[in-house]
Amino acid sequence: MKDVFILGIESSCDETSVSIVKNGREEIATIISSQIDIHKDFGGVVPEIASRHHVKNITIVLEECLQKANMKIEDIDAIAITYGPGLIGSLLIGLEAAKTLAFIYNKPLIPVHHIAGHIYANSLVKELSFPLLAVVVSGGHTELIEMDKHYHFKKLGGTLDDAIGECYDKVARVIGLEYPGGPKIDQLAATGRETYALPVPLRDDSYNFSFSGLKSAVINLAHNEEQRGIPLRQEDLAASFQKVAIESITTKVKKAIIDKKIEHVIVAGGVAANKGLRKAIEDLCQELKVDLSIPPMKYCTDNGTMIAAAGYYAYLDGRKADLSLNSKSQDQLV
Ligand code: KG4
Ligand code: ZN
């Protein structure tokens, strides 16, 4: 079969990234321009500033990627683009670039849902096998997705309120850590002890999650200690919070693996970088004897590689868009 080269563009939040992937599994070249340092001072991503930086960066990132791959647009089979969900201004910059390339060079335009991208980051590591359970844990999403074949997604459950990454970031802010707080809580947790009692949310029979109660419990605890003049043991609070957050994920993952006779578990999204979560899911999959893949750190946060990989399977599935494709700030994968 002829090799298929997909160019993937990702600009849904604060990373401008372009990548070329061969046959959905082999990374040829990737360029990521991150704005983390720019948004740090504001304690979170400022949408208007993010859009402006995407405009400034997109052409440079695209040219650098082609140069690194030693390829021309003519060598590419299709252009894959994150159409949503994400920050609307940011999404539109990537989409316009993708549409322009598709139009000028007469290439198919493949719409990719951001979460499908996070799921397919795993296909760069290991071939996906089915039935598969995708544990999607990111700044905007916490979902359990079942797949019985490529590019067919079924949602088993998800968060009823905050996403897990959002909860990590808010808790981090309360205990005085810089944005993005998730990785810092993870680091602190490794040095602390689980001495603070926090409630494990939503102990029910569904595949759903809830993080707002846990977030409020941490905020209240921090305020109470402050009022009583007791210094907060940051690392112990981080460890206590992380234990409960992870436990609430692994309980539902275990139930899904057993109920749905899952053979392959994958973890996707920014929070897949969490060391505590990685270890807990590794232990669980070992106990239940199911295959597990977790992407290396570089594929966990937003990047064009995962969009190009997902774009390959969407392309094989015939999912092409025309130039009327629009960005969607909110959109469910299923
Ligand atoms: O997937 P992602 O880049 O953005 C979305 O698509 O939402 O995920 C970003 C999220 C942030 O909330 C960040 O704090 C969190 O992932 N994150 C972590 C870790 N690394 C990144 N959360 C916990 N532990 C980590 N090591
Ligand atoms: Zn993401």
Side-chain angles (χ1 to χ4, degrees):
M1 212 170 95
K2 180 189 165 292
D3 288 331
V4 176
F5 293 92
I6 307 282
L7 182 130
I9 302 180
E10 158 63 38
S11 70
S12 66
C13 191
D14 58 345
E15 263 98 24
T16 322
S17 179
V18 177
S19 177
I20 296 167
V21 169
K22 180 174 150 188
N23 301 330
R25 301 222 37 229
E26 194 185 322
E27 180 182 358
I28 304 296
T30 301
I31 302 292
I32 304 176
S33 166
S34 173
Q35 305 176 15
I36 279 194
D37 287 340
I38 296 162
H39 297 283
K40 221 178 226 168
D41 295 344
F42 303 97
V45 178
V46 183
E48 179 60 25
I49 297 178
S51 313
R52 284 168 195 267
H53 280 88
H54 284 305
V55 173
K56 236 171 60 186
N57 293 336
I58 187 79
T59 321
I60 302 166
V61 170
L62 173 67
E63 279 173 358
E64 272 185 28
C65 178
L66 287 165
Q67 219 167 51
K68 193 170 170 191
N70 200 16
M71 290 174 81
K72 301 191 290 294
I73 296 273
E74 286 85 344
D75 306 322
I76 301 292
D77 292 279
I79 317 284
I81 174 69
T82 309
Y83 71 90
L87 301 172
I88 193 70
S90 295
L91 286 164
L92 281 167
I93 313 302
L95 182 71
E96 286 310 315
K99 280 192 194 177
T100 308
L101 291 175
F103 177 67
I104 295 177
Y105 294 93
N106 196 22
K107 301 288 176 189
L109 181 66
I110 314 292
V112 173
H113 190 282
H114 185 74
I115 295 304
H118 276 303
I119 290 173
Y120 274 94
N122 286 280
S123 92
L124 293 147
V125 185
K126 191 178 199 174
E127 194 145 5
L128 305 191
S129 57
F130 308 98
L132 177 143
L133 178 73
V135 182
V136 180
V137 278
S138 77
H141 295 260
T142 313
E143 281 165 21
L144 294 183
I145 307 281
E146 185 189 5
M147 290 171 71
D148 55 10
K149 58 179 174 176
H150 272 300
Y151 230 77
H152 284 72
F153 310 101
K154 184 177 164 197
K155 184 172 168 179
L156 296 178
T159 182
L160 303 176
D161 39 60
D162 293 355
I164 184 168
E166 191 183 350
C167 184
Y168 261 88
D169 293 339
K170 284 188 183 151
V171 164
R173 202 189 297 187
V174 169
I175 60 177
L177 305 171
E178 246 185 2
Y179 171 84
K184 293 181 185 86
I185 297 232
D186 193 14
Q187 267 169 18
L188 267 182
T191 63
R193 290 179 309 133
E194 298 139 11
T195 52
Y196 290 102
L198 293 166
V200 177
L202 217 65
R203 287 179 184 272
D204 65 358
D205 227 20
S206 73
Y207 299 111
N208 291 328
F209 308 98
S210 166
F211 290 102
S212 71
L214 175 60
K215 175 190 72 188
S216 304
V218 175
I219 295 173
N220 289 342
L221 193 149
H223 288 166
N224 287 343
E225 298 288 80
E226 194 186 331
Q227 273 173 0
R228 290 161 58 204
I230 302 173
L232 209 56
R233 300 185 307 280
Q234 268 192 342
E235 63 283 8
D236 290 349
L237 186 54
S240 309
F241 163 73
Q242 174 138 311
K243 175 177 176 278
V244 173
I246 290 173
E247 203 177 306
S248 89
I249 300 280
T250 49
T251 313
K252 302 292 172 90
V253 169
K254 183 172 186 175
K255 177 176 155 55
I257 294 174
I258 296 170
D259 292 354
K260 303 291 175 186
K261 301 188 173 46
I262 296 297
E263 291 188 5
H264 191 177
V265 173
I266 60 146
V267 190
V271 186
N274 185 277
K275 292 199 183 63
L277 182 66
R278 293 168 90 96
K279 168 85 172 65
I281 294 194
E282 263 161 32
D283 291 348
L284 179 64
C285 289
Q286 213 163 36
E287 177 199 327
L288 299 178
K289 299 191 173 45
V290 291
D291 229 359
L292 169 69
S293 5
I294 308 181
M297 302 295 183
K298 67 171 182 168
Y299 294 139
C300 286
T301 43
D302 294 348
N303 60 81
T305 331
M306 66 185 201
I307 302 304
Y312 171 76
Y313 293 96
Y315 176 72
L316 294 188
D317 204 49
R319 295 175 187 245
K320 289 180 200 153
D322 60 29
L323 294 178
S324 67
L325 178 67
N326 212 343
S327 302
K328 286 189 178 168
S329 60
Q330 295 199 355
D331 192 43
Q332 294 290 330
L333 176 60
V334 269

